[in-house]
Amino acid sequence: MERTTVLITGCSSGIGLGLAARLAADAARRFKVYATMRDLAKVERLLERLGGCCPDTLEVLQLDVTDPRSLAAAAQRVQGQRLDVLVCNAGVGLMGPLETCSDQAMKTLFDVNLFGAVRTIQAFLPAMKSRRAGRIIVSSSIGGLQGLPFNAVYCASKFAVEGLCESLAIVLRPFNIHLTLVECGPVHTSFLANLQRPDPEGSEMRGLDAETQELYRRYLWHCQSIFRDTAQEVEEVLPVFLEAIGSPCPPLRCASTQLLAPLWRLRLSSPDGSAYVRAMHDFVFGGGEAGGDQP
């Protein structure tokens, strides 16, 4: 049986690592996996998941989605292989009051989350179009569907990814290339630990008004509660990706969680946005305005 060839970005941890390990360890050996990561020194995490060895179903490649030369080298390495599935999973986060987000931090975020996805798709799309077959799966977020407080820049990058992929999917229909966005919610990965965010008591916050500082503290409390009570494990999210890989006709969008589904439906049913803004404020900060009761 001919194997399905899959290339995944961002495999040093989290969903990328979990998906690469799951596919490479498939008992029926149905997949050939190119697991890529920016820093190959982190490959041991992946190999540990596979029992300490690299099976012949797996090849690890260096790929930095912000470096066109790195992308070109990875594309050259798989040239001649039939790449069936491209999984754009590399991503970074940025949290905090907008006033604390530096130009460099915002540019880095967009360079990875948006332009990194664009560059990766550009590198592998021509071969898929030439074969008139393939599928592209992009790790998105519920923050790509709705604004989340103190995640303005991150949500902006994911909103852009959603628009990119929705637009591209229309053009790819005649080429028999399916594009799927997987919208994840909170997941127990190193993403949160690696997230750029100011310490609420740190120097970055000193010039900020007291009311915003208090809202930020309350938001961090809310995040801790959400991750403690409702965050998914990576293994709970992987079936959504596996379905997108295996389905004859996968959807444009699929969600790994229904955590914010009621708020998303409210956003759609109230086009002027005001009802959503009020509801999200109350969900995160509790009823009332900024000076209301503590959660």
Side-chain angles (χ1 to χ4, degrees):
M1 182 177 66
E2 197 169 21
R3 292 178 181 174
T4 298
T5 304
V6 184
L7 185 142
I8 310 167
T9 66
C11 291
S12 62
S13 64
I15 293 171
L17 185 155
L19 183 60
R22 174 74 71 88
L23 295 176
D26 179 66
R29 300 167 62 83
R30 294 173 296 168
F31 303 97
K32 170 61 184 287
V33 182
Y34 289 96
T36 78
M37 58 190 72
R38 183 178 59 84
D39 183 4
L40 288 180
K42 297 180 179 179
V43 71
E44 291 304 320
R45 300 175 188 173
L46 176 56
L47 297 183
E48 285 172 10
R49 289 284 300 273
L50 293 164
C53 61
C54 188
D56 65 1
T57 53
L58 175 72
E59 186 169 338
V60 180
L61 300 177
Q62 194 279 335
L63 195 161
D64 179 351
V65 298
T66 69
D67 182 354
R69 291 174 298 180
S70 174
L71 264 165
Q76 180 67 31
R77 178 64 189 85
V78 302
Q79 191 174 30
Q81 301 288 324
R82 186 198 69 248
L83 182 60
D84 300 296
V85 183
L86 173 65
V87 182
C88 297
N89 172 71
V92 295
L94 178 65
M95 178 194 291
L98 186 64
E99 299 95 317
T100 68
C101 299
S102 69
D103 278 1
Q104 186 55 55
M106 292 188 286
K107 288 175 181 176
T108 297
L109 182 92
F110 270 82
D111 201 23
V112 176
N113 291 1
L114 175 61
F115 296 114
V118 171
R119 292 186 196 100
T120 304
I121 294 171
Q122 285 176 328
F124 297 100
L125 183 58
M128 287 185 173
K129 291 174 80 172
S130 178
R131 290 197 322 274
R132 305 188 78 83
R135 58 190 62 199
I136 300 167
I137 302 170
V138 179
S139 290
S140 186
S141 167
I142 56 176
L145 297 174
Q146 53 205 109
L148 306 174
F150 294 113
N151 281 272
V153 180
Y154 175 75
C155 287
S157 73
K158 290 300 186 179
F159 267 59
V161 167
E162 292 275 332
L164 166 77
C165 293
E166 186 173 285
S167 301
L168 188 57
I170 299 166
V171 177
L172 295 183
R173 275 181 61 85
F175 294 93
N176 191 35
I177 299 172
H178 298 282
L179 198 155
T180 298
L181 289 148
V182 178
E183 281 120 4
C184 300
V187 182
H188 287 300
T189 69
S190 60
F191 181 84
L192 190 63
N194 296 334
L195 183 69
Q196 287 193 66
R197 56 180 172 179
D199 184 326
E201 309 304 328
S203 59
E204 295 169 281
M205 301 289 290
R206 287 177 190 159
L208 207 59
D209 63 275
E211 193 169 339
T212 301
Q213 291 188 44
E214 180 58 24
L215 284 170
Y216 182 52
R217 292 188 189 95
R218 292 166 70 180
Y219 176 70
L220 293 178
W221 183 93
H222 171 82
C223 284
Q224 291 173 0
S225 174
I226 288 290
F227 268 85
R228 181 183 65 243
D229 299 335
T230 64
Q232 295 177 291
E233 299 298 333
V234 169
E235 294 302 315
E236 296 178 78
V237 173
L238 294 186
V240 183
F241 286 84
L242 297 174
E243 177 68 19
I245 290 172
S247 173
C249 189
L252 172 63
R253 290 187 173 89
C254 48
S256 72
T257 179
Q258 295 300 307
L259 175 64
L260 295 183
L263 284 165
W264 166 239
R265 288 192 289 270
L266 177 63
R267 187 175 182 272
L268 294 176
S269 64
S270 177
D272 76 356
S274 55
Y276 172 77
V277 169
R278 287 193 300 270
M280 177 59 83
H281 181 278
D282 291 348
F283 173 66
V284 174
F285 301 114
E289 298 303 319
D293 295 336
Q294 295 292 317

